PDB file of all heavy atoms in Angstrom:
ATOM      1  N   ASN B 209     126.097 -38.809   5.741  1.00 88.00           N
ATOM      2  CA  ASN B 209     126.696 -39.831   5.088  1.00 88.00           C
ATOM      3  C   ASN B 209     126.480 -41.183   5.938  1.00 88.00           C
ATOM      4  O   ASN B 209     126.028 -42.222   5.416  1.00 88.00           O
ATOM      5  CB  ASN B 209     128.164 -39.752   4.902  1.00 88.00           C
ATOM      6  CG  ASN B 209     128.544 -39.373   3.509  1.00 88.00           C
ATOM      7  OD1 ASN B 209     128.020 -39.914   2.585  1.00 88.00           O
ATOM      8  ND2 ASN B 209     129.611 -38.527   3.490  1.00 88.00           N
ATOM      9  N   ALA B 210     126.528 -41.121   7.160  1.00 85.00           N
ATOM     10  CA  ALA B 210     126.231 -42.220   8.112  1.00 85.00           C
ATOM     11  C   ALA B 210     124.804 -42.704   8.019  1.00 85.00           C
ATOM     12  O   ALA B 210     124.455 -43.941   7.982  1.00 85.00           O
ATOM     13  CB  ALA B 210     126.582 -41.921   9.565  1.00 85.00           C
ATOM     14  N   ALA B 211     123.890 -41.643   7.963  1.00 82.00           N
ATOM     15  CA  ALA B 211     122.471 -42.039   7.773  1.00 82.00           C
ATOM     16  C   ALA B 211     122.235 -42.615   6.408  1.00 82.00           C
ATOM     17  O   ALA B 211     121.414 -43.701   6.292  1.00 82.00           O
ATOM     18  CB  ALA B 211     121.632 -40.744   7.890  1.00 82.00           C
ATOM     19  N   ALA B 212     122.921 -42.237   5.386  1.00 83.00           N
ATOM     20  CA  ALA B 212     122.714 -42.804   3.915  1.00 83.00           C
ATOM     21  C   ALA B 212     123.145 -44.293   3.944  1.00 83.00           C
ATOM     22  O   ALA B 212     122.491 -45.090   3.308  1.00 83.00           O
ATOM     23  CB  ALA B 212     123.535 -42.042   2.982  1.00 83.00           C
ATOM     24  N   ARG B 213     124.229 -44.666   4.817  1.00 81.00           N
ATOM     25  CA  ARG B 213     124.683 -46.036   4.795  1.00 81.00           C
ATOM     26  C   ARG B 213     123.760 -46.827   5.910  1.00 81.00           C
ATOM     27  O   ARG B 213     123.542 -47.968   5.646  1.00 81.00           O
ATOM     28  CB  ARG B 213     126.138 -46.002   5.333  1.00 81.00           C
ATOM     29  CG  ARG B 213     127.080 -45.508   4.319  1.00 81.00           C
ATOM     30  CD  ARG B 213     128.469 -45.729   4.684  1.00 81.00           C
ATOM     31  NE  ARG B 213     128.802 -45.273   6.043  1.00 81.00           N
ATOM     32  CZ  ARG B 213     129.321 -44.096   6.216  1.00 81.00           C
ATOM     33  NH1 ARG B 213     129.508 -43.240   5.296  1.00 81.00           N
ATOM     34  NH2 ARG B 213     129.604 -43.739   7.585  1.00 81.00           N
ATOM     35  N   GLY B 214     123.323 -46.139   6.961  1.00 73.00           N
ATOM     36  CA  GLY B 214     122.635 -46.945   7.999  1.00 73.00           C
ATOM     37  C   GLY B 214     121.182 -47.143   7.804  1.00 73.00           C
ATOM     38  O   GLY B 214     120.635 -48.108   8.250  1.00 73.00           O
ATOM     39  N   PHE B 215     120.524 -46.294   7.111  1.00 75.00           N
ATOM     40  CA  PHE B 215     119.132 -46.553   6.801  1.00 75.00           C
ATOM     41  C   PHE B 215     118.889 -47.627   5.853  1.00 75.00           C
ATOM     42  O   PHE B 215     119.771 -47.852   5.054  1.00 75.00           O
ATOM     43  CB  PHE B 215     118.478 -45.223   6.239  1.00 75.00           C
ATOM     44  CG  PHE B 215     118.204 -44.169   7.206  1.00 75.00           C
ATOM     45  CD1 PHE B 215     118.911 -44.011   8.407  1.00 75.00           C
ATOM     46  CD2 PHE B 215     117.228 -43.166   6.930  1.00 75.00           C
ATOM     47  CE1 PHE B 215     118.750 -42.984   9.314  1.00 75.00           C
ATOM     48  CE2 PHE B 215     117.035 -42.083   7.916  1.00 75.00           C
ATOM     49  CZ  PHE B 215     117.697 -42.032   9.027  1.00 75.00           C
ATOM     50  N   ALA B 216     117.795 -48.247   5.765  1.00 70.00           N
ATOM     51  CA  ALA B 216     117.388 -49.253   4.853  1.00 70.00           C
ATOM     52  C   ALA B 216     117.543 -48.738   3.480  1.00 70.00           C
ATOM     53  O   ALA B 216     117.638 -49.440   2.538  1.00 70.00           O
ATOM     54  CB  ALA B 216     116.120 -49.988   5.241  1.00 70.00           C
ATOM     55  N   THR B 217     117.019 -47.548   3.268  1.00 75.00           N
ATOM     56  CA  THR B 217     116.984 -46.818   2.007  1.00 75.00           C
ATOM     57  C   THR B 217     117.449 -45.387   2.252  1.00 75.00           C
ATOM     58  O   THR B 217     117.039 -44.836   3.254  1.00 75.00           O
ATOM     59  CB  THR B 217     115.652 -46.860   1.300  1.00 75.00           C
ATOM     60  OG1 THR B 217     115.733 -46.073   0.176  1.00 75.00           O
ATOM     61  CG2 THR B 217     114.590 -46.471   2.154  1.00 75.00           C
ATOM     62  N   ALA B 218     118.186 -44.867   1.287  1.00 82.00           N
ATOM     63  CA  ALA B 218     118.697 -43.457   1.515  1.00 82.00           C
ATOM     64  C   ALA B 218     117.465 -42.350   1.066  1.00 82.00           C
ATOM     65  O   ALA B 218     117.744 -41.246   1.303  1.00 82.00           O
ATOM     66  CB  ALA B 218     119.858 -43.247   0.627  1.00 82.00           C
ATOM     67  N   GLU B 219     116.404 -42.957   0.439  1.00 88.00           N
ATOM     68  CA  GLU B 219     115.408 -41.980   0.028  1.00 88.00           C
ATOM     69  C   GLU B 219     114.448 -41.653   1.198  1.00 88.00           C
ATOM     70  O   GLU B 219     113.900 -42.450   1.975  1.00 88.00           O
ATOM     71  CB  GLU B 219     114.576 -42.642  -1.009  1.00 88.00           C
ATOM     72  CG  GLU B 219     115.243 -42.995  -2.219  1.00 88.00           C
ATOM     73  CD  GLU B 219     114.375 -43.460  -3.468  1.00 88.00           C
ATOM     74  OE1 GLU B 219     113.224 -43.772  -3.083  1.00 88.00           O
ATOM     75  OE2 GLU B 219     114.797 -43.469  -4.559  1.00 88.00           O
ATOM     76  N   VAL B 220     114.218 -40.321   1.334  1.00 91.00           N
ATOM     77  CA  VAL B 220     113.383 -39.723   2.443  1.00 91.00           C
ATOM     78  C   VAL B 220     112.167 -38.905   1.820  1.00 91.00           C
ATOM     79  O   VAL B 220     112.518 -37.834   1.337  1.00 91.00           O
ATOM     80  CB  VAL B 220     114.265 -38.962   3.369  1.00 91.00           C
ATOM     81  CG1 VAL B 220     113.451 -38.223   4.454  1.00 91.00           C
ATOM     82  CG2 VAL B 220     115.426 -39.753   3.915  1.00 91.00           C
ATOM     83  N   PRO B 221     111.032 -39.403   2.001  1.00 94.00           N
ATOM     84  CA  PRO B 221     109.862 -38.665   1.566  1.00 94.00           C
ATOM     85  C   PRO B 221     109.718 -37.369   2.514  1.00 94.00           C
ATOM     86  O   PRO B 221     109.951 -37.571   3.612  1.00 94.00           O
ATOM     87  CB  PRO B 221     108.746 -39.493   1.557  1.00 94.00           C
ATOM     88  CG  PRO B 221     109.311 -40.871   1.681  1.00 94.00           C
ATOM     89  CD  PRO B 221     110.590 -40.753   2.351  1.00 94.00           C
ATOM     90  N   PHE B 222     109.209 -36.184   1.961  1.00 97.00           N
ATOM     91  CA  PHE B 222     109.107 -35.099   2.830  1.00 97.00           C
ATOM     92  C   PHE B 222     108.034 -34.126   2.332  1.00 97.00           C
ATOM     93  O   PHE B 222     107.563 -34.177   1.084  1.00 97.00           O
ATOM     94  CB  PHE B 222     110.415 -34.264   2.878  1.00 97.00           C
ATOM     95  CG  PHE B 222     110.824 -33.608   1.588  1.00 97.00           C
ATOM     96  CD1 PHE B 222     110.242 -32.484   1.133  1.00 97.00           C
ATOM     97  CD2 PHE B 222     111.842 -34.353   0.852  1.00 97.00           C
ATOM     98  CE1 PHE B 222     110.663 -31.910  -0.121  1.00 97.00           C
ATOM     99  CE2 PHE B 222     112.154 -33.806  -0.428  1.00 97.00           C
ATOM    100  CZ  PHE B 222     111.672 -32.576  -0.823  1.00 97.00           C
ATOM    101  N   ASP B 223     107.488 -33.294   3.187  1.00 98.00           N
ATOM    102  CA  ASP B 223     106.601 -32.097   2.864  1.00 98.00           C
ATOM    103  C   ASP B 223     107.259 -30.969   3.525  1.00 98.00           C
ATOM    104  O   ASP B 223     107.746 -30.966   4.644  1.00 98.00           O
ATOM    105  CB  ASP B 223     105.242 -32.292   3.514  1.00 98.00           C
ATOM    106  CG  ASP B 223     104.321 -33.267   2.679  1.00 98.00           C
ATOM    107  OD1 ASP B 223     104.456 -34.441   2.739  1.00 98.00           O
ATOM    108  OD2 ASP B 223     103.539 -32.747   1.723  1.00 98.00           O
ATOM    109  N   VAL B 224     107.410 -29.944   2.811  1.00 98.00           N
ATOM    110  CA  VAL B 224     108.020 -28.685   3.339  1.00 98.00           C
ATOM    111  C   VAL B 224     107.234 -27.419   2.903  1.00 98.00           C
ATOM    112  O   VAL B 224     106.653 -27.373   1.847  1.00 98.00           O
ATOM    113  CB  VAL B 224     109.505 -28.584   2.828  1.00 98.00           C
ATOM    114  CG1 VAL B 224     109.706 -28.424   1.315  1.00 98.00           C
ATOM    115  CG2 VAL B 224     110.294 -27.472   3.502  1.00 98.00           C
ATOM    116  N   TYR B 225     107.275 -26.444   3.774  1.00 98.00           N
ATOM    117  CA  TYR B 225     106.607 -25.289   3.640  1.00 98.00           C
ATOM    118  C   TYR B 225     107.509 -24.071   3.723  1.00 98.00           C
ATOM    119  O   TYR B 225     108.135 -23.844   4.750  1.00 98.00           O
ATOM    120  CB  TYR B 225     105.484 -25.062   4.651  1.00 98.00           C
ATOM    121  CG  TYR B 225     104.482 -26.304   4.685  1.00 98.00           C
ATOM    122  CD1 TYR B 225     104.794 -27.517   5.265  1.00 98.00           C
ATOM    123  CD2 TYR B 225     103.260 -26.235   3.986  1.00 98.00           C
ATOM    124  CE1 TYR B 225     103.858 -28.566   5.288  1.00 98.00           C
ATOM    125  CE2 TYR B 225     102.289 -27.239   4.096  1.00 98.00           C
ATOM    126  CZ  TYR B 225     102.720 -28.383   4.594  1.00 98.00           C
ATOM    127  OH  TYR B 225     101.879 -29.516   4.630  1.00 98.00           O
ATOM    128  N   LEU B 226     107.721 -23.354   2.611  1.00 98.00           N
ATOM    129  CA  LEU B 226     108.546 -22.192   2.607  1.00 98.00           C
ATOM    130  C   LEU B 226     107.872 -20.752   2.575  1.00 98.00           C
ATOM    131  O   LEU B 226     106.854 -20.691   1.887  1.00 98.00           O
ATOM    132  CB  LEU B 226     109.451 -22.195   1.384  1.00 98.00           C
ATOM    133  CG  LEU B 226     110.328 -23.490   0.961  1.00 98.00           C
ATOM    134  CD1 LEU B 226     111.072 -23.344  -0.247  1.00 98.00           C
ATOM    135  CD2 LEU B 226     111.056 -23.953   2.199  1.00 98.00           C
ATOM    136  N   ASP B 227     108.413 -19.851   3.325  1.00 97.00           N
ATOM    137  CA  ASP B 227     107.808 -18.518   3.258  1.00 97.00           C
ATOM    138  C   ASP B 227     108.253 -17.834   2.014  1.00 97.00           C
ATOM    139  O   ASP B 227     109.032 -18.367   1.229  1.00 97.00           O
ATOM    140  CB  ASP B 227     108.136 -17.732   4.501  1.00 97.00           C
ATOM    141  CG  ASP B 227     109.578 -17.396   4.689  1.00 97.00           C
ATOM    142  OD1 ASP B 227     110.355 -17.451   3.827  1.00 97.00           O
ATOM    143  OD2 ASP B 227     109.882 -17.107   5.927  1.00 97.00           O
ATOM    144  N   ASP B 228     107.843 -16.564   1.721  1.00 95.00           N
ATOM    145  CA  ASP B 228     108.143 -15.833   0.476  1.00 95.00           C
ATOM    146  C   ASP B 228     109.594 -15.481   0.464  1.00 95.00           C
ATOM    147  O   ASP B 228     110.050 -15.015  -0.673  1.00 95.00           O
ATOM    148  CB  ASP B 228     107.279 -14.674   0.345  1.00 95.00           C
ATOM    149  CG  ASP B 228     105.817 -15.039   0.078  1.00 95.00           C
ATOM    150  OD1 ASP B 228     105.625 -16.206  -0.401  1.00 95.00           O
ATOM    151  OD2 ASP B 228     104.968 -14.229   0.374  1.00 95.00           O
ATOM    152  N   GLU B 229     110.408 -15.662   1.466  1.00 95.00           N
ATOM    153  CA  GLU B 229     111.830 -15.494   1.461  1.00 95.00           C
ATOM    154  C   GLU B 229     112.604 -16.701   1.275  1.00 95.00           C
ATOM    155  O   GLU B 229     113.764 -16.785   1.358  1.00 95.00           O
ATOM    156  CB  GLU B 229     112.263 -14.706   2.784  1.00 95.00           C
ATOM    157  CG  GLU B 229     111.669 -13.307   2.758  1.00 95.00           C
ATOM    158  CD  GLU B 229     112.189 -12.563   4.090  1.00 95.00           C
ATOM    159  OE1 GLU B 229     113.569 -12.550   4.260  1.00 95.00           O
ATOM    160  OE2 GLU B 229     111.495 -12.126   4.828  1.00 95.00           O
ATOM    161  N   GLY B 230     111.867 -17.798   1.009  1.00 95.00           N
ATOM    162  CA  GLY B 230     112.576 -19.170   0.823  1.00 95.00           C
ATOM    163  C   GLY B 230     112.914 -19.755   2.050  1.00 95.00           C
ATOM    164  O   GLY B 230     113.645 -20.848   2.030  1.00 95.00           O
ATOM    165  N   ARG B 231     112.555 -19.436   3.234  1.00 97.00           N
ATOM    166  CA  ARG B 231     112.958 -19.917   4.486  1.00 97.00           C
ATOM    167  C   ARG B 231     111.954 -20.993   4.871  1.00 97.00           C
ATOM    168  O   ARG B 231     110.770 -20.892   4.660  1.00 97.00           O
ATOM    169  CB  ARG B 231     113.060 -18.918   5.642  1.00 97.00           C
ATOM    170  CG  ARG B 231     113.985 -17.715   5.395  1.00 97.00           C
ATOM    171  CD  ARG B 231     113.862 -16.645   6.431  1.00 97.00           C
ATOM    172  NE  ARG B 231     112.514 -16.099   6.487  1.00 97.00           N
ATOM    173  CZ  ARG B 231     112.163 -14.952   7.112  1.00 97.00           C
ATOM    174  NH1 ARG B 231     113.131 -14.280   7.837  1.00 97.00           N
ATOM    175  NH2 ARG B 231     111.011 -14.636   7.224  1.00 97.00           N
ATOM    176  N   ILE B 232     112.460 -22.224   5.513  1.00 98.00           N
ATOM    177  CA  ILE B 232     111.599 -23.245   5.957  1.00 98.00           C
ATOM    178  C   ILE B 232     110.783 -22.749   7.173  1.00 98.00           C
ATOM    179  O   ILE B 232     111.404 -22.241   8.147  1.00 98.00           O
ATOM    180  CB  ILE B 232     112.463 -24.432   6.351  1.00 98.00           C
ATOM    181  CG1 ILE B 232     113.216 -25.030   5.064  1.00 98.00           C
ATOM    182  CG2 ILE B 232     111.581 -25.473   6.919  1.00 98.00           C
ATOM    183  CD1 ILE B 232     114.112 -26.105   5.369  1.00 98.00           C
ATOM    184  N   ARG B 233     109.529 -22.906   7.027  1.00 98.00           N
ATOM    185  CA  ARG B 233     108.662 -22.656   8.215  1.00 98.00           C
ATOM    186  C   ARG B 233     108.213 -23.890   8.857  1.00 98.00           C
ATOM    187  O   ARG B 233     108.021 -24.062   9.962  1.00 98.00           O
ATOM    188  CB  ARG B 233     107.452 -21.822   7.807  1.00 98.00           C
ATOM    189  CG  ARG B 233     107.628 -20.476   7.302  1.00 98.00           C
ATOM    190  CD  ARG B 233     108.083 -19.581   8.537  1.00 98.00           C
ATOM    191  NE  ARG B 233     108.416 -18.354   8.197  1.00 98.00           N
ATOM    192  CZ  ARG B 233     108.097 -17.190   9.005  1.00 98.00           C
ATOM    193  NH1 ARG B 233     107.578 -17.401  10.230  1.00 98.00           N
ATOM    194  NH2 ARG B 233     108.549 -16.090   8.712  1.00 98.00           N
ATOM    195  N   LYS B 234     108.163 -25.061   7.936  1.00 98.00           N
ATOM    196  CA  LYS B 234     107.661 -26.346   8.452  1.00 98.00           C
ATOM    197  C   LYS B 234     108.306 -27.457   7.549  1.00 98.00           C
ATOM    198  O   LYS B 234     108.246 -27.198   6.328  1.00 98.00           O
ATOM    199  CB  LYS B 234     106.209 -26.521   8.631  1.00 98.00           C
ATOM    200  CG  LYS B 234     105.702 -27.841   9.000  1.00 98.00           C
ATOM    201  CD  LYS B 234     104.193 -27.837   9.104  1.00 98.00           C
ATOM    202  CE  LYS B 234     103.570 -29.236   9.448  1.00 98.00           C
ATOM    203  NZ  LYS B 234     102.169 -29.171   9.578  1.00 98.00           N
ATOM    204  N   VAL B 235     108.922 -28.425   8.146  1.00 98.00           N
ATOM    205  CA  VAL B 235     109.260 -29.565   7.216  1.00 98.00           C
ATOM    206  C   VAL B 235     109.061 -30.801   8.012  1.00 98.00           C
ATOM    207  O   VAL B 235     109.164 -30.935   9.217  1.00 98.00           O
ATOM    208  CB  VAL B 235     110.798 -29.471   6.950  1.00 98.00           C
ATOM    209  CG1 VAL B 235     111.705 -29.530   8.196  1.00 98.00           C
ATOM    210  CG2 VAL B 235     111.181 -30.570   5.924  1.00 98.00           C
ATOM    211  N   ARG B 236     108.499 -31.881   7.248  1.00 97.00           N
ATOM    212  CA  ARG B 236     108.089 -33.104   7.858  1.00 97.00           C
ATOM    213  C   ARG B 236     108.728 -34.311   6.993  1.00 97.00           C
ATOM    214  O   ARG B 236     108.564 -34.354   5.878  1.00 97.00           O
ATOM    215  CB  ARG B 236     106.593 -33.275   7.843  1.00 97.00           C
ATOM    216  CG  ARG B 236     106.042 -34.575   8.371  1.00 97.00           C
ATOM    217  CD  ARG B 236     104.589 -34.518   8.398  1.00 97.00           C
ATOM    218  NE  ARG B 236     103.892 -35.776   8.929  1.00 97.00           N
ATOM    219  CZ  ARG B 236     103.618 -35.952  10.272  1.00 97.00           C
ATOM    220  NH1 ARG B 236     103.859 -35.024  11.119  1.00 97.00           N
ATOM    221  NH2 ARG B 236     102.944 -37.039  10.558  1.00 97.00           N
ATOM    222  N   HIS B 237     109.625 -35.022   7.742  1.00 94.00           N
ATOM    223  CA  HIS B 237     110.231 -36.104   7.070  1.00 94.00           C
ATOM    224  C   HIS B 237     109.578 -37.476   7.625  1.00 94.00           C
ATOM    225  O   HIS B 237     109.145 -37.523   8.812  1.00 94.00           O
ATOM    226  CB  HIS B 237     111.722 -36.334   7.459  1.00 94.00           C
ATOM    227  CG  HIS B 237     112.436 -35.051   6.965  1.00 94.00           C
ATOM    228  ND1 HIS B 237     112.855 -34.082   7.817  1.00 94.00           N
ATOM    229  CD2 HIS B 237     112.934 -34.651   5.742  1.00 94.00           C
ATOM    230  CE1 HIS B 237     113.564 -33.114   7.238  1.00 94.00           C
ATOM    231  NE2 HIS B 237     113.624 -33.560   5.883  1.00 94.00           N
ATOM    232  N   ARG B 238     109.549 -38.566   6.862  1.00 89.00           N
ATOM    233  CA  ARG B 238     108.971 -39.821   7.122  1.00 89.00           C
ATOM    234  C   ARG B 238     110.035 -40.944   7.125  1.00 89.00           C
ATOM    235  O   ARG B 238     110.701 -41.108   6.094  1.00 89.00           O
ATOM    236  CB  ARG B 238     107.837 -40.123   6.368  1.00 89.00           C
ATOM    237  CG  ARG B 238     106.615 -39.122   6.671  1.00 89.00           C
ATOM    238  CD  ARG B 238     105.502 -39.397   5.709  1.00 89.00           C
ATOM    239  NE  ARG B 238     105.730 -39.069   4.348  1.00 89.00           N
ATOM    240  CZ  ARG B 238     105.770 -37.833   3.796  1.00 89.00           C
ATOM    241  NH1 ARG B 238     105.592 -36.708   4.696  1.00 89.00           N
ATOM    242  NH2 ARG B 238     106.037 -37.645   2.642  1.00 89.00           N
ATOM    243  N   PHE B 239     110.253 -41.734   8.212  1.00 75.00           N
ATOM    244  CA  PHE B 239     111.110 -42.811   8.275  1.00 75.00           C
ATOM    245  C   PHE B 239     110.378 -44.021   8.914  1.00 75.00           C
ATOM    246  O   PHE B 239     109.346 -43.938   9.417  1.00 75.00           O
ATOM    247  CB  PHE B 239     112.261 -42.513   9.268  1.00 75.00           C
ATOM    248  CG  PHE B 239     112.992 -41.110   9.102  1.00 75.00           C
ATOM    249  CD1 PHE B 239     112.733 -40.066  10.033  1.00 75.00           C
ATOM    250  CD2 PHE B 239     113.805 -40.940   7.937  1.00 75.00           C
ATOM    251  CE1 PHE B 239     113.377 -38.914   9.764  1.00 75.00           C
ATOM    252  CE2 PHE B 239     114.367 -39.657   7.751  1.00 75.00           C
ATOM    253  CZ  PHE B 239     114.191 -38.614   8.726  1.00 75.00           C
ATOM    254  N   SER B 240     111.085 -45.179   8.779  1.00 63.00           N
ATOM    255  CA  SER B 240     110.676 -46.335   9.512  1.00 63.00           C
ATOM    256  C   SER B 240     111.929 -47.167   9.887  1.00 63.00           C
ATOM    257  O   SER B 240     112.867 -47.080   9.119  1.00 63.00           O
ATOM    258  CB  SER B 240     109.700 -47.220   8.652  1.00 63.00           C
ATOM    259  OG  SER B 240     110.344 -47.825   7.640  1.00 63.00           O
ATOM    260  N   PHE B 241     111.979 -47.759  11.139  1.00 65.00           N
ATOM    261  CA  PHE B 241     113.127 -48.512  11.396  1.00 65.00           C
ATOM    262  C   PHE B 241     112.693 -49.790  12.294  1.00 65.00           C
ATOM    263  O   PHE B 241     111.682 -49.793  12.971  1.00 65.00           O
ATOM    264  CB  PHE B 241     114.147 -47.662  12.165  1.00 65.00           C
ATOM    265  CG  PHE B 241     113.789 -47.178  13.566  1.00 65.00           C
ATOM    266  CD1 PHE B 241     114.049 -47.883  14.679  1.00 65.00           C
ATOM    267  CD2 PHE B 241     113.132 -46.004  13.727  1.00 65.00           C
ATOM    268  CE1 PHE B 241     113.725 -47.626  15.864  1.00 65.00           C
ATOM    269  CE2 PHE B 241     112.832 -45.565  14.975  1.00 65.00           C
ATOM    270  CZ  PHE B 241     113.077 -46.378  16.121  1.00 65.00           C
ATOM    271  N   VAL B 242     113.645 -50.615  12.427  1.00 55.00           N
ATOM    272  CA  VAL B 242     113.464 -51.791  13.290  1.00 55.00           C
ATOM    273  C   VAL B 242     114.679 -51.882  14.083  1.00 55.00           C
ATOM    274  O   VAL B 242     115.843 -51.908  13.657  1.00 55.00           O
ATOM    275  CB  VAL B 242     113.295 -53.188  12.517  1.00 55.00           C
ATOM    276  CG1 VAL B 242     113.139 -54.280  13.427  1.00 55.00           C
ATOM    277  CG2 VAL B 242     112.064 -53.012  11.616  1.00 55.00           C
ATOM    278  N   GLY B 243     114.631 -52.062  15.453  1.00 54.00           N
ATOM    279  CA  GLY B 243     115.850 -52.230  16.242  1.00 54.00           C
ATOM    280  C   GLY B 243     115.499 -52.245  17.799  1.00 54.00           C
ATOM    281  O   GLY B 243     114.301 -52.089  18.160  1.00 54.00           O
TER     282      GLY B 243
END
Side-chain angles (χ1 to χ4, degrees):
N209 259 322
R213 295 191 303 268
F215 283 26
T217 172
E219 292 186 349
V220 178
F222 64 82
D223 281 83
V224 63
Y225 303 78
L226 307 183
D227 63 20
D228 289 338
E229 296 182 50
R231 302 173 302 195
I232 296 171
R233 291 292 180 143
K234 177 180 178 180
V235 60
R236 182 178 178 89
H237 301 103
R238 291 174 294 281
F239 313 107
S240 66
F241 70 90
V242 179

